Amino acid sequence: MTPRIRDEDQVRTMTLEAFADTIVPGEKRSPDDRAVAGAAPGGGAVAAGALELLEWDATGLSSGLGEFARLLNGHAQVYAAEHELAPDESVPPFVALPFEHRTALVQRLTTPGHPEKEFWVSLALFSNMAFDSAAHLHTADALAAGHPGLIAMGIELPDPDGLWRFPAYSYGRQLARLHPDTTPSGSPA
């Protein structure tokens, strides 16, 4: 018989990572990784720091993450029973779901009319935010560490002095001439 996970922090972490991986999938961190399903190449929300962002008190969600995990695992148990999926008590119920069933359950929870929709959409938005903006990190630090979302979007490193400059115009042409009183740092005189 496979041992059951009893550590609440481990259950919370694995469950939230599996949810974030469902929103922005990535590759497994190791062959025995169960939270990250490995449904996409490269780093996804988990590698981008979704759990760190969710745990940041600025999100307004951090104090309720344990309850999110508990609710999600409860929904996963009901879903698994409905679909006659064999339980795997070695991991939390949501983590035990195959990826396609994780996505189906998240779709159910985020569908208009679901009584908890706002909670699950919030969790999904922050999972996505970790990937596409690294909101919990300084951009230069995130890029230097190889943040998968910022790199995937083609965000380039700043100049050696830490500032971003764009010598090629994004519209392919200069939109306005530089004011003659602009200082070398780019500030108005």
Side-chain angles (χ1 to χ4, degrees):
M1 184 170 164
T2 311
R4 184 181 184 137
I5 294 180
R6 299 195 190 280
D7 181 318
E8 286 183 39
D9 287 336
Q10 188 178 12
V11 168
R12 178 177 83 68
T13 296
M14 289 182 77
T15 302
L16 294 172
E17 285 182 341
F19 183 90
D21 180 63
T22 304
I23 304 303
V24 183
E27 62 191 17
K28 288 181 174 283
R29 297 166 286 188
S30 67
D32 60 341
D33 190 350
R34 296 287 305 273
V36 176
V46 175
L51 194 58
E52 291 85 356
L53 177 59
L54 289 168
E55 290 174 337
W56 186 22
D57 61 353
T59 64
L61 299 175
S62 59
S63 65
L65 292 177
E67 183 65 11
F68 274 119
R70 189 188 67 73
L71 286 169
L72 185 55
N73 283 318
H75 287 298
Q77 287 175 315
V78 170
Y79 179 93
E82 289 172 0
H83 292 84
E84 299 178 353
L85 300 173
D88 177 354
E89 294 188 359
S90 68
V91 293
F94 186 74
V95 177
L97 294 176
F99 184 76
E100 63 273 10
H101 289 286
R102 290 181 188 180
T103 58
L105 177 55
V106 170
Q107 182 178 8
R108 177 189 293 182
L109 297 174
T110 57
T111 295
H114 191 281
E116 299 167 4
K117 175 187 171 225
E118 291 78 16
F119 299 120
W120 302 114
V121 169
S122 294
L123 202 62
L125 288 172
F126 281 109
S127 298
N128 200 15
M129 187 184 297
F131 184 81
D132 67 11
S133 71
H136 58 300
L137 301 168
H138 186 285
T139 304
D141 295 339
L143 286 167
H147 187 278
L150 299 181
I151 290 172
M153 289 188 293
I155 308 292
E156 297 194 19
L157 291 169
D159 292 340
D161 62 0
L163 298 176
W164 275 270
R165 292 181 184 82
F166 304 95
Y169 304 107
S170 62
Y171 287 97
R173 63 185 177 87
Q174 185 174 1
L175 298 179
R177 289 185 308 280
L178 193 61
H179 190 278
D181 293 332
T182 302
T183 66
S185 69
S187 299

